[in-house]
Amino acid sequence: MIAVGSRRGRYFLQTLRSSSTTTKIRVRGEYSAREYQLIDQSAEEQSKELIASIRANGNLLWGAKVNGSSENESLDKCAPLIVKAKLDIAEIGEMAQGMASLDGLCAYVCRRYRLEESEGDGDLLKDYLKEELGGGSSSDIDVVHGAVQAIATGIPRAGHSVVGQGTFRDGEAGWIALAKDFVTQKDVGAHECDLYSKHGGVFLSIQHLANTSPTYLRSAGGAMAAFVFE
């Protein structure tokens, strides 16, 4: 192992062997902002050595990814990085937390509630929202339904030119309910949530509009899932 700096100081380079003889874990950055990298020691080119990575700010983990993978692939290769990060955080005396991306949430909602089928009229989604958000008037449900459908499909509501701030505000309660379903159901594509759950992560809540980058809004409507690790 090579380590430079204190636990809260700068990690210029920290390299540890993983359980595999062909991989190692490398940590770059400071405790306040660092990246854990799983490195392929047998790679012939440096540009091809990165297998997987996860970022951390203090005790908060986020941004798990496998190099070259799509949003439809498992993040299991990040497992040794989660283990290492949790140990580092425990040594500081803090509790590890995670913020998981929900890439694919929009596609999941469209698929589950048949929003993009030619014969789809949104009734499945409206029925779901009535059940989840019971107590509101019919007009209130209609507003939420229209906003949620716009967020999922990326198609503005009638009378609107964009899927903007008003749409995300009106659809917040419904979108959070749908995001919770996405997190808690098995095999629907919430890969970072699955990764955290496998390593002691307990789902806490949905953070609405936690990431407002255009690409992420199209993929997940801005929602992310907060976890705490036991």
Side-chain angles (χ1 to χ4, degrees):
M1 179 180 79
I2 302 172
V4 178
S6 67
R7 302 306 296 170
R8 284 188 180 274
R10 178 176 296 278
Y11 290 86
F12 285 109
L13 175 63
Q14 186 185 67
T15 303
L16 303 95
R17 290 190 179 277
S18 70
S19 57
S20 168
T21 58
T22 61
T23 61
K24 65 182 179 183
I25 295 172
R26 185 165 63 201
V27 188
R28 292 188 180 278
E30 303 175 352
Y31 183 76
S32 61
R34 62 199 187 280
E35 183 177 54
Y36 293 85
Q37 301 175 338
L38 185 64
I39 301 299
D40 180 1
Q41 297 187 104
S42 65
E44 296 181 358
E45 300 177 28
Q46 187 174 1
S47 61
K48 297 180 180 180
E49 68 177 10
L50 182 63
I51 299 171
S53 62
I54 188 168
R55 295 183 179 273
N57 296 103
N59 67 332
L60 180 67
L61 305 179
W62 60 280
K65 64 180 181 180
V66 174
N67 196 31
S69 69
S70 71
E71 68 178 35
N72 297 318
E73 294 183 50
S74 166
L75 294 173
D76 285 347
K77 290 180 181 178
C78 294
L81 304 178
I82 292 278
V83 173
K84 167 62 178 153
K86 287 175 62 181
L87 287 172
D88 287 348
I89 292 166
E91 286 185 16
I92 297 296
E94 297 179 338
M95 178 175 286
Q97 299 180 39
M99 189 67 71
S101 70
L102 302 179
D103 283 304
L105 172 58
C106 291
Y108 159 80
V109 173
C110 289
R111 183 173 62 250
R112 182 179 178 107
Y113 297 99
R114 292 186 267 177
L115 299 183
E116 294 183 336
E117 294 182 14
S118 58
E119 70 274 16
D121 57 9
D123 282 350
L124 284 175
L125 179 58
K126 185 177 289 189
D127 290 344
Y128 167 85
L129 293 171
K130 286 179 181 177
E131 183 175 345
E132 290 294 315
L133 310 176
S137 67
S138 178
S139 60
D140 290 339
I141 294 296
D142 286 343
V143 170
V144 176
H145 170 251
V148 165
Q149 184 160 326
I151 294 169
T153 62
I155 301 172
R157 294 180 284 179
H160 295 252
S161 59
V162 297
V163 180
Q165 292 183 358
T167 299
F168 286 100
R169 180 193 62 236
D170 291 343
E172 179 174 354
W175 198 249
I176 286 175
L178 289 160
K180 287 180 180 177
D181 287 350
F182 187 64
V183 171
T184 55
Q185 293 184 29
K186 299 292 185 182
D187 302 321
V188 296
H191 297 306
E192 194 165 10
C193 297
D194 292 342
L195 174 69
Y196 291 169
S197 296
K198 290 176 183 177
H199 294 278
V202 177
F203 170 63
L204 289 180
S205 63
I206 297 297
Q207 303 297 304
H208 187 58
L209 293 180
N211 182 342
T212 56
S213 69
T215 299
Y216 192 73
L217 287 174
R218 290 192 295 270
S219 179
M224 298 186 74
F227 283 77
V228 63
F229 289 89
E230 296 182 328

